[in-house]
Amino acid sequence: MKLLITGGAGFIGANFVRHILETYPDYKLINYDKLTYAGNLENLAGLEDNRNYTFVRGDIADRKQVGEVMSAGVDVVLNFAAESHVDRSLEEAAVFIGTNVLGTQVLLEAALKHKVDRFIQISTDEVYGSLGPSGSFTEKTPLSPNSPYAATKAAADLMVRAYFESFSVQAIITRCSNNYGPYQFPEKLIPLFITNALENIPLPVYGDGLYIRDWIHVIDHCRALDLALHRGKPGEIYNIGGGSERTNLEITKLILKHLKKSESLITHVKDRPGHDRRYAIDCSKIKEELGFETSMTLEKGLKQTMDWYIQNRPWWEKVRSGEYREYYHRHYADREKTFER
Ligand code: NAD
Ligand code: DAU
């Protein structure tokens, strides 16, 4: 099977690339990534000479280049590429429309033209909006996005649906809750707080810190995507969640306790506008229909993640200093021609 993975240099995409290459040694994989600030090829260090792996630098909104990559023959597209950070979407929404909406449509159009067998859209539970103290999102919950990021992901989901209904593009949408784990860019809550704590920098908790997220380890998200890829039914939506609801303050205290740091590092700061109060995922459909089960408790996964950030300090120090951008130039730029198509 030949997979086109977009956004494979990001957090979840890179974990998925590693998962596929380790699990299916005969699969061929193209990683198509623009390398925005969030793309870091060091996340895939060691794969440069893997014969089943090809990196192509490109934008999913670039019709010509996307067409060229797909014309090489691709069985499945998995679209991870996105602008993914809510706070950035509150500052500058336009780039989110360009990548998340237009980019998805460009991929769908090319998938249709080149008769790709399957298209997996990696979406998010944020398209459903916010929950009160009880209940959980099912696949039938109406879309009600509250941030520009979530609005663009919802728009992309509707475009995927339209290409399935109108043109029979064999598409599946997955909607996962908050991921954590190795290689997550330290602008998101968990890696930001781990790295700040390790450096004794205050941890900025938005508002009262009682906002709830349903956390899942990135490896479990990858395992669920593997099931959607191999057993999912086109036209369907699958929610994915970790079943681990925690307030942000609970997560913060777990991190400080494990790292043996003082709670005096907690600093309450101005709240995020339109901040969703609670997410909780009902993922009974993927459990019942595709046999998904998580493999890790939050406590175990968080401890493993903190240990990873302790052991991989150079990785996040290079991200913080900006040096990570040099990895591409050092390891890929002179070979770029070989990596084209
Ligand atoms: P990320 O920000 O870490 O990585 C995004 C990747 O996409 C980067 O490598 C970036 O260079 C690439 N990219 C951005 N714009 C591009 C473009 N125009 N063309 C090609 N590549 C481009 O994101 P992530 O956290 O790994 O999330 C991956 C996907 O999963 C996203 O679609 C996101 O909406 C979704 N998702 C994320 C979470 C989460 O908790 N992080 C949860 C559910 C769903
Ligand atoms: O639910 C899935 C979504 O999870 C994904 O679609 C997004 O791509 C991903 O970024 C994530 O969105 P969140 O906004 O939930 O994640 P973030 O890590 O930015 O914030 C998690 C919670 O922590 C949220 O309630 C805001 C809060 N927070 C975040 C940061 C960065 C803080 O209190 N302080 C912070 O500094």
Side-chain angles (χ1 to χ4, degrees):
M1 187 140 42
K2 191 164 175 187
L3 311 185
L4 174 62
I5 296 188
T6 69
F11 161 51
I12 304 172
N15 277 285
F16 189 75
V17 166
R18 289 186 179 280
H19 168 82
I20 290 291
L21 290 173
E22 279 160 22
T23 316
Y24 305 100
D26 52 338
Y27 282 17
K28 300 237 179 287
L29 201 153
I30 300 171
N31 173 15
Y32 183 80
D33 196 299
K34 185 178 177 182
L35 298 184
T36 66
Y37 80 92
N40 181 354
L41 285 172
E42 197 164 351
N43 298 353
L44 297 163
L47 297 183
E48 291 82 4
D49 296 318
N50 186 315
R51 288 192 324 174
N52 288 341
Y53 169 78
T54 306
F55 174 72
V56 179
R57 187 173 190 175
D59 187 337
I60 58 166
D62 181 335
R63 278 177 208 281
K64 185 165 173 282
Q65 198 179 357
V66 165
E68 284 166 3
V69 170
M70 277 204 220
S71 66
V74 164
D75 300 310
V76 181
V77 175
L78 291 115
N79 182 26
F80 292 86
E83 288 292 336
S84 71
H85 193 39
V86 172
D87 293 329
R88 287 179 188 256
S89 79
L90 296 164
E91 299 290 327
E92 167 62 83
V95 65
F96 285 71
I97 296 170
T99 289
N100 300 1
V101 187
L102 181 63
T104 302
Q105 188 271 330
V106 167
L107 290 172
L108 286 163
E109 194 64 36
L112 172 64
K113 181 172 174 201
H114 295 286
K115 301 186 173 52
V116 165
D117 293 337
R118 190 160 284 211
F119 188 103
I120 316 267
Q121 174 69 2
I122 319 302
S123 187
T124 167
D125 62 354
E126 297 204 11
V127 298
Y128 297 123
S130 185
L131 288 167
S134 62
S136 51
F137 300 130
T138 73
E139 289 81 359
K140 292 195 164 56
T141 302
L143 301 185
S144 189
N146 292 320
S147 71
Y149 160 69
T152 58
K153 292 295 288 187
D157 285 9
L158 294 179
M159 196 60 77
V160 173
R161 178 192 151 85
Y163 270 73
F164 173 77
E165 295 291 339
S166 303
F167 308 116
S168 301
V169 170
Q170 298 296 286
I172 289 170
I173 296 171
T174 62
R175 295 184 178 144
C176 190
S177 58
N178 285 62
N179 285 221
Y180 66 93
Y183 303 112
Q184 189 168 27
F185 199 86
E187 64 180 351
K188 307 280 166 71
L189 180 82
I190 288 181
L192 177 71
F193 281 17
I194 294 172
T195 52
N196 274 16
L198 288 171
E199 298 215 303
N200 299 309
I201 297 172
L203 313 188
V205 172
Y206 297 163
D208 61 10
L210 299 179
Y211 294 86
I212 293 174
R213 295 293 182 265
D214 178 352
W215 295 96
I216 183 169
H217 193 282
V218 64
I219 286 304
D220 281 331
H221 186 186
C222 292
R223 291 172 53 251
L225 293 173
D226 184 334
L227 289 170
L229 165 66
H230 292 98
R231 295 195 210 158
K233 190 167 161 238
E236 295 292 323
I237 297 166
Y238 297 97
N239 282 352
I240 304 167
S244 295
E245 284 184 59
R246 298 288 188 284
T247 66
N248 295 338
L249 271 176
E250 283 171 325
I251 295 287
T252 308
K253 287 178 185 172
L254 278 173
I255 291 172
L256 291 171
K257 189 169 173 216
H258 180 71
L259 298 179
K260 299 189 173 54
K261 300 285 180 176
S262 162
E263 288 191 8
S264 64
L265 283 174
I266 297 175
T267 313
H268 288 268
V269 300
K270 193 165 162 277
D271 212 346
R272 171 187 279 176
H275 198 168
D276 288 334
R277 192 62 168 169
R278 174 171 168 260
Y279 301 149
I281 278 271
D282 176 342
C283 52
S284 46
K285 179 174 171 179
I286 194 168
K287 285 184 172 174
E288 284 159 23
E289 295 184 12
L290 307 186
F292 174 65
E293 286 299 336
T294 52
S295 67
M296 240 181 284
T297 62
L298 174 76
E299 284 67 24
K300 184 176 165 207
L302 196 55
K303 185 177 172 313
Q304 182 248 53
T305 301
M306 287 187 269
D307 291 343
W308 187 88
Y309 279 84
I310 291 168
Q311 285 152 19
N312 292 276
R313 196 176 182 110
W315 178 88
W316 57 265
E317 283 182 342
K318 278 185 248 170
V319 172
R320 286 199 158 177
S321 70
E323 198 191 327
Y324 73 109
R325 292 174 186 280
E326 287 166 27
Y327 193 91
Y328 167 76
H329 296 288
R330 231 181 287 130
H331 296 268
Y332 285 83
D334 57 338
R335 308 197 284 172
E336 197 165 23
K337 287 210 162 40
T338 343
F339 284 96
E340 275 170 14
R341 266 67 73 194

